[in-house]
């Protein structure tokens, strides 16, 4: 589940930067690629109508592997950016559908006790995809670029990323083979729709129930605003780290970005998430929500300081990135739990949580789409000032937002 999402939303940014694509195009199209992950609730009822959940999971994994293989063959071709984006959009649709199917298997093939025992492992493996792709494979891409430069300097970047995309393709096809043998089939929900018409009626009922919830519109606004600064900044951060000092960047190599940003940063995110969970459990979400918004957004000031002073000391850069990612994980837990406890409770908790997650992804996607255009008119220093200013609505909402459910009632309804 994690590998195609990370490859599309994070690693592709670095790949396209290496290929010389301009910032505006990179940020717009790689942000738009995650749209299917926001819209996946729209076709999730249809997966109950035909075949099995395992059937859909296997098809999506095989198609994903095949599409990454197509990118390998497109990379040597000049002006193939548009074709690669089109194929990546297909990967995104497959990845989103695979998420629906595999979540469905998890919920229907194993009992509640086992689900609870392994939910932490599920989250850990999803984040390990970041370590593998945005860490290990980006690091390997840097090594391969240096290797191929000795043989074919003009094609070194293309050859290196052909290897990386080939590895991703092989991993996905390998997972298809493994899951073909070992993955459980999964069962249908007892109230699954019996026809396409019933599926659409069911979807409309779920929509109506969601948008008539108490405080739902202010909750939607809060979910979107929570991640505005993150969505605006995160697409540009890999480009900022790679950019030469003359352009206002930190001039880091792919190897350094993969090691610090992709590996140490992801580990810090996981540790921060764990500590954030204990923090909320100790004091309660309502009491700590404002502090979580602060912890989540204020550390982005680190990138403003990096843009102002452009440090060349890797220890300072690493400490800054690791601290920001720790705070990112710490604060992100607050939004996840808010959606579980305040948005999801009711008649359709699982589907309504999926709706909230889709809205959350839009709050990340939309500012990312315009981030490259804004940077081209501002430069990095002013850009990160604008990013910090975009966090103000989240602070205001966190301080004033009403809670429709207590933690206890939310849990009982779910």
């Amino acid at each position: 589940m994690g590998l195609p999402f990370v490859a599309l939303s994070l690693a592709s940014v670095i790949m396209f930067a290496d290929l010389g694509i301009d910032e505006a195009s990179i940020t717009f199209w790689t942000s738009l690629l995650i749209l299917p992950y926001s819209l996946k609730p729209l076709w999730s009822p249809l997966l109950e109508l035909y075949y099995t959940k395992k059937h859909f999971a296997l098809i999506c994994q095989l198609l994903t592997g095949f599409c990454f293989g197509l990118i390998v063959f497109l990379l040597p071709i000049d002006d193939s950016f548009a074709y690669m984006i089109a194929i990546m959009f297909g990967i995104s649709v497959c990845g989103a559908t695979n998420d629906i199917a595999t979540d469905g298997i998890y919920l229907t093939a194993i009992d509640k006790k086992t689900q609870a025992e392994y939910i932490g492992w599920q989250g850990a493996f999803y984040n390990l995809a970041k370590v593998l792709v945005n860490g290990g494979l980006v690091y390997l891409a840097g090594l391969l670029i240096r290797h191929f430069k000795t043989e074919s300097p003009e094609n070194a970047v293309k050859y290196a990323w052909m290897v990386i995309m080939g590895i991703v393709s092989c991993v996905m096809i390998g997972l298809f083979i493994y899951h073909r043998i070992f993955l459980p089939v999964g069962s249908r929900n007892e109230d699954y729709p019996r026809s396409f018409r019933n599926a659409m009626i069911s979807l409309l009922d779920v929509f109506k129930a969601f948008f008539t919830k108490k405080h739902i519109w202010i909750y939607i606004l809060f979910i979107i605003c929570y991640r505005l600064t993150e969505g605006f900044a995160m697409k540009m951060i890999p480009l900022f780290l790679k950019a030469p000092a003359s352009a206002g960047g930190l001039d880091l190599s792919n190897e350094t970005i993969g090691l610090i940003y992709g590996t140490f940063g992801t580990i810090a995110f996981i540790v921060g998430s764990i500590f954030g969970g204990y923090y909320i459990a100790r004091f309660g979400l309502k009491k700590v929500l404002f502090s979580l918004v602060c912890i989540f957004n204020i550390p982005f000031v680190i990138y403003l300081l990096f843009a102002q002073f452009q440090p060349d000391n890797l220890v300072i850069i690493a400490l800054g990135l690791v601290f920001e990612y720790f705070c990112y994980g710490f604060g992100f837990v607050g939004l996840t739990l808010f959606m579980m406890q305040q948005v999801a409770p009711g008649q359709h908790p699982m589907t309504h949580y999926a709706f909230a997650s889709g809205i959350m992804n839009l709050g990340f996607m939309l500012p990312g789409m315009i981030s490259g255009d804004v940077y081209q008119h501002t430069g990095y220093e002013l850009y990160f000032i604008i990013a910090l200013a975009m966090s103000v609505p989240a602070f205001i909402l966190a301080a004033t937002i009403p809670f429709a459910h207590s933690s206890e009632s939310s849990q009982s309804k779910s």
Side-chain angles (χ1 to χ4, degrees):
M1 291 170 67
L3 191 147
F5 183 84
V6 176
L8 294 178
S9 62
L10 296 174
S12 67
V13 174
I14 297 174
M15 181 182 78
F16 288 134
D18 285 343
L19 292 171
I21 308 298
D22 65 276
E23 293 89 351
S25 297
I26 292 173
T27 54
F28 179 85
W29 290 108
T30 59
S31 295
L32 190 62
L33 285 175
I34 68 171
L35 181 61
Y37 287 90
S38 296
L39 301 181
K40 64 184 179 182
L42 297 180
W43 64 86
S44 59
L46 300 179
L47 269 62
E48 294 281 4
L49 292 177
Y50 311 106
Y51 306 108
T52 64
K53 295 178 175 67
K54 178 177 180 178
H55 183 91
F56 283 107
L58 292 177
I59 289 176
C60 290
Q61 290 167 18
L62 182 61
L63 286 175
T64 298
F66 177 72
C67 288
F68 275 113
L70 287 179
I71 293 174
V72 173
F73 291 100
L74 283 173
L75 274 165
I77 302 173
D78 293 333
D79 301 321
S80 61
F81 175 71
Y83 299 105
M84 286 191 283
I85 289 294
I87 291 173
M88 287 180 175
F89 191 82
I91 293 172
S92 183
V93 173
C94 287
T97 306
N98 178 64
D99 282 7
I100 298 169
T102 48
D103 281 338
I105 293 171
Y106 191 83
L107 291 169
T108 61
I110 55 179
D111 60 78
K112 300 291 184 184
K113 182 176 182 295
T114 308
Q115 289 176 22
E117 288 176 351
Y118 283 91
I119 190 64
W121 285 98
Q122 186 192 50
F125 270 88
Y126 195 97
N127 280 287
L128 281 176
K130 294 182 181 178
V131 178
L132 170 65
V133 180
N134 208 37
L137 293 185
V138 170
Y139 182 90
L140 178 60
L143 295 179
L144 290 171
I145 289 171
R146 284 199 292 175
H147 169 74
F148 287 123
K149 276 185 176 177
T150 61
E151 302 174 3
S152 179
E154 66 280 3
N155 293 312
V157 169
K158 294 178 179 180
Y159 290 164
W161 282 103
M162 285 173 67
V163 173
I164 301 303
M165 291 294 109
I167 291 173
V168 176
S169 175
C170 290
V171 170
M172 290 305 302
I173 293 173
L175 289 171
F176 160 78
I177 296 170
Y178 173 82
H179 289 145
R180 178 74 177 81
I181 301 169
F182 294 107
L183 192 68
V185 173
S187 62
R188 289 176 171 175
N189 296 321
E190 293 180 0
D191 58 346
Y192 78 94
R194 264 64 177 181
S195 67
F196 179 84
R197 181 175 180 274
N198 288 340
M200 292 299 97
I201 292 173
S202 174
L203 183 61
L204 289 174
D205 289 341
V206 171
F207 261 97
K208 182 179 178 181
F210 181 79
F211 288 105
T212 55
K213 286 190 170 192
K214 188 177 182 181
H215 307 310
I216 189 61
W217 292 105
I218 192 170
Y219 288 171
I220 289 173
L221 183 61
F222 177 64
I223 291 169
I224 292 173
C225 290
Y226 202 107
R227 299 188 72 185
L228 278 180
T229 293
E230 176 204 357
F232 190 69
M234 292 300 280
K235 284 293 177 182
M236 287 303 303
I237 287 172
L239 303 178
F240 167 63
L241 298 178
K242 279 183 63 67
S246 59
L250 298 187
D251 200 17
L252 300 183
S253 66
N254 282 8
E255 302 97 294
T256 304
I257 293 173
L259 184 62
I260 298 176
Y261 186 65
T263 303
F264 295 156
T266 302
I267 294 171
F269 176 89
I270 296 171
V271 174
S273 299
I274 294 171
F275 277 89
Y278 284 119
Y279 176 63
I280 297 171
R282 174 68 177 83
F283 298 103
L285 180 61
K286 189 171 184 178
K287 290 182 179 179
V288 302
L289 185 60
F290 183 81
S291 65
L292 289 170
V293 172
C294 294
I295 293 169
F296 185 75
N297 285 285
I298 291 178
F300 283 103
V301 75
I302 289 171
Y303 297 106
L304 172 60
L305 295 175
F306 283 171
Q308 288 178 328
F309 298 104
Q310 293 183 279
D312 55 9
N313 188 313
L314 286 181
V315 174
I316 293 174
I317 295 172
L319 289 175
L321 292 175
V322 167
F323 175 73
E324 188 276 319
Y325 248 63
F326 174 86
C327 294
Y328 177 20
F330 196 105
F332 192 83
V333 174
L335 180 58
T336 302
L337 200 61
F338 180 86
M339 293 189 299
M340 288 181 177
Q341 293 185 353
Q342 301 305 313
V343 181
Q347 189 178 357
H348 310 281
M350 186 174 68
T351 307
H352 285 179
Y353 180 76
F355 284 1
S357 298
I359 292 168
M360 177 188 70
N361 284 333
L362 286 176
F364 178 82
M365 181 190 80
L366 295 176
M369 290 172 65
I370 64 170
S371 58
D373 278 318
V374 174
Y375 157 73
Q376 290 183 345
H377 291 87
T378 61
Y380 284 115
E381 188 172 337
L382 179 57
Y383 178 87
F384 287 119
I385 292 175
I386 295 171
L388 289 169
M390 293 177 72
S391 66
V392 173
F395 294 137
I396 297 172
L397 288 167
T400 59
I401 197 165
F403 272 48
H405 307 276
S406 68
S407 299
E408 291 77 11
S409 63
S410 299
Q411 291 164 358
S412 64
K413 290 180 182 179
S414 301

